[in-house]
């Protein structure tokens, strides 16, 4: 009797790929699942570009102009490729972000901004 060796692969979304240089160059790191990066300068000595991918069109990427999810933010839905994070926001550089496979409401985002706490099931980086 021969046994088949089967492998089950599970892909977790969203997939966030961050790069140390603009235009998707330099060092890169891939994160999967719901997460928040409270200080993007602590990852790869700074994130300069990113790709955000999910099969869910309501997946949410939130970019904040201060660390720890504070101050002004921009909400992006669905897949995104951002070649240059510098000056992406009107009032300055992106300093922290949240990547979610689900639709985060403005009320949820404001609560995160106010408390600094991510929803249950999110990883904090």
């Amino acid at each position: 009797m021969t046994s088949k060796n089967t492998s089950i692969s599970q892909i977790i979304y969203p997939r966030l790929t961050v790069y140390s240089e603009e235009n998707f160059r330099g060092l890169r790191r891939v994160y999967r699942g719901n997460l928040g990066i409270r200080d993007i300068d602590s990852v790869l000595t700074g994130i300069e570009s990113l790709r955000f991918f999910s099969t869910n069109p309501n997946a949410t990427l939130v970019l904040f102009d201060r660390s720890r999810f504070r101050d002004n933010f921009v909400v992006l839905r669905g897949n995104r490729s951002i070649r240059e994070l510098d000056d992406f926001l009107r009032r300055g550089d992106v300093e922290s972000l949240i990547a979610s496979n689900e639709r985060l409401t403005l009320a949820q985002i404001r609560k995160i901004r106010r408390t600094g706490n991510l929803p249950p099931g999110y990883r904090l980086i």
Side-chain angles (χ1 to χ4, degrees):
M1 187 176 231
T2 321
S3 73
K4 279 188 175 178
N5 195 1
T6 59
S7 166
I8 298 174
S9 174
Q10 182 178 6
I11 299 173
I12 298 173
Y13 294 108
R15 184 177 63 230
L16 177 68
T17 307
V18 297
Y19 300 85
S20 63
E21 295 180 23
E22 297 170 358
N23 295 313
F24 319 114
R25 287 187 270 151
L27 300 174
R28 79 174 176 171
R29 186 166 291 161
V30 178
Y31 296 98
R32 296 177 189 278
N34 296 330
L35 61 89
I37 300 176
R38 66 179 149 206
D39 181 3
I40 68 165
D41 287 338
S42 68
V43 176
L44 300 175
T45 65
I47 298 170
E48 296 297 327
S49 56
L50 65 80
R51 293 184 193 272
F52 177 72
F53 178 79
S54 175
T55 56
N56 180 354
N58 287 315
T60 306
L61 178 64
V62 186
L63 307 174
F64 293 86
D65 66 0
R66 297 218 24 225
S67 62
R68 300 181 176 266
F69 321 117
R70 293 177 297 165
D71 218 359
N72 298 304
F73 61 87
V74 171
V75 178
L76 305 170
R77 307 267 186 221
N79 300 327
R80 296 292 173 147
S81 291
I82 302 174
R83 293 183 172 282
E84 184 179 347
L85 279 177
D86 288 343
D87 299 322
F88 186 82
L89 302 174
R90 273 192 308 206
R91 297 178 108 185
D93 296 343
V94 175
E95 298 293 335
S96 57
L97 64 83
I98 299 170
S100 175
N101 201 45
E102 51 202 36
R103 181 181 184 86
L104 288 177
T105 66
L106 289 178
Q108 289 172 304
I109 296 166
R110 286 184 183 116
K111 182 178 179 185
I112 294 167
R113 181 176 64 179
R114 187 177 68 254
T115 66
N117 297 323
L118 296 170
Y122 282 66
R123 270 187 313 148
L124 181 61
I125 296 171

